[in-house]
Amino acid sequence: MNQPKVRLQKSEKQDYAFEEAIKTLRTNIQFSGSNKKVILFTSAVAHEGKSSLAFETAFSLSQIGKKVLLVDTDMWKSVLTSRYQFDKEVKGLSQYLSGQEKLEQVIYATNFENFDVLAAGPFAPNPTNLLEEALFGELIKTQREKYDYIIIDTPPLGTVIDAAVSAKHCDGAVLVLEAGETSYKMAQKTKRQLERTACPILGVVLNKVNMKKGSYYGSYYRKYNSYYEK
């Protein structure tokens, strides 16, 4: 059976600083070790830029010749298909985990070389329960053999526990926090939840930083750096 294909639109050239930050993130993931193949992206709350960073990191890895699968597990409120303007309606994770579709029918090749996607699929009334099904673990296990990296975009951990459920199948996690918005208390809470899963936190991305606020950024960065090192 031929792999289904989808065409998506990626925004044109990004800001130079953003591109360099993504390259740094990509490099840090690579230097985390060859055993770190399945990487989870989560955040404390919504709108911190987690999904964009997961997509851009996956895409960046594919651009250096790594075969990458981006998995969208946000079956509550996915933004992947609308944000990147898929050229057709696609089947997704919710349909696979509920037994409606086979795995080979929901993983799509894209118009970008080495970059495949598994969308979240239609809204499911019980996403957490679906992720707890053995099928999700089997999905990750089988795709490990086919891809250099699997990047998993999850819902905010401070909102629902889906990221914690997915984390047990992952080799590492990246926590995304929005500068000036996410409270220190919420960041600590999210960090503790991830630590309970035994999935190592590879790093924290402080996103949406206003670089013009030099002194404020410096103090804010030190605060988050200190919480991460504890």
Side-chain angles (χ1 to χ4, degrees):
M1 181 178 177
N2 292 329
Q3 183 180 13
K5 296 181 179 180
V6 66
R7 174 171 290 273
L8 55 85
Q9 291 186 23
K10 186 180 179 298
S11 59
E12 295 303 319
K13 193 171 180 65
Q14 298 279 3
D15 173 80
Y16 174 78
F18 179 80
E19 287 189 343
E20 288 303 304
I22 291 296
K23 288 178 182 178
T24 299
L25 180 55
R26 178 187 73 193
T27 300
N28 288 342
I29 287 175
Q30 290 181 280
F31 276 99
S32 294
S34 59
N35 62 332
K36 300 293 188 295
K37 296 185 62 173
V38 183
I39 311 297
L40 175 150
F41 277 67
T42 193
S43 59
V45 295
H47 309 302
E48 296 192 270
K50 161 191 60 63
S51 293
S52 294
L53 287 173
F55 181 96
E56 294 293 343
T57 302
F59 182 79
S60 184
L61 284 163
S62 74
Q63 294 301 288
I64 58 170
K66 303 298 182 182
K67 188 166 177 59
V68 182
L69 174 63
L70 175 65
V71 180
D72 182 3
T73 67
D74 193 347
M75 293 174 279
W76 298 91
K77 193 176 181 181
S78 173
V79 299
L80 179 66
T81 56
S82 59
R83 179 173 295 171
Y84 297 100
Q85 301 178 38
F86 284 33
D87 66 344
K88 60 184 177 182
E89 186 175 342
V90 298
K91 299 169 184 177
L93 185 63
S94 61
Q95 291 156 302
Y96 166 67
L97 295 179
S98 60
Q100 299 177 55
E101 301 289 349
K102 294 182 178 180
L103 184 57
E104 58 266 25
Q105 296 172 317
V106 297
I107 295 180
Y108 289 77
T110 73
N111 48 307
F112 297 105
E113 189 176 2
N114 299 319
F115 187 60
D116 292 357
V117 296
L118 171 50
F123 167 78
N126 56 343
T128 308
N129 292 342
L130 288 178
L131 289 171
E132 290 175 333
E133 294 285 339
L135 277 177
F136 184 70
E138 291 173 12
L139 182 163
I140 300 301
K141 183 178 179 180
T142 58
Q143 300 314 299
R144 278 180 181 274
E145 306 303 317
K146 300 179 182 180
Y147 292 91
D148 296 310
Y149 287 98
I150 300 174
I151 303 297
I152 301 181
D153 180 20
T154 71
L157 189 51
T159 305
V160 292
I161 66 168
D162 295 33
V165 175
S166 301
K168 62 184 178 181
H169 304 291
C170 299
D171 305 320
V174 175
L175 178 58
V176 180
L177 302 172
E178 181 178 353
E181 294 295 331
T182 310
S183 70
Y184 180 69
K185 182 177 180 180
M186 179 58 76
Q188 285 276 24
K189 177 183 176 182
T190 306
K191 173 177 173 284
R192 286 193 296 269
Q193 286 178 300
L194 269 178
E195 288 174 335
R196 292 190 191 103
T197 70
C199 177
I201 301 175
L202 302 182
V204 178
V205 175
L206 189 60
N207 199 26
K208 302 183 183 180
V209 173
N210 185 346
M211 299 302 291
K212 294 180 180 179
K213 296 183 178 180
S215 59
Y216 170 75
Y217 168 71
S219 62
Y220 194 87
Y221 176 82
R222 284 192 294 273
K223 179 174 72 170
Y224 276 98
N225 194 48
S226 66
Y227 105 72
Y228 175 59
E229 290 175 348
K230 290 179 181 178

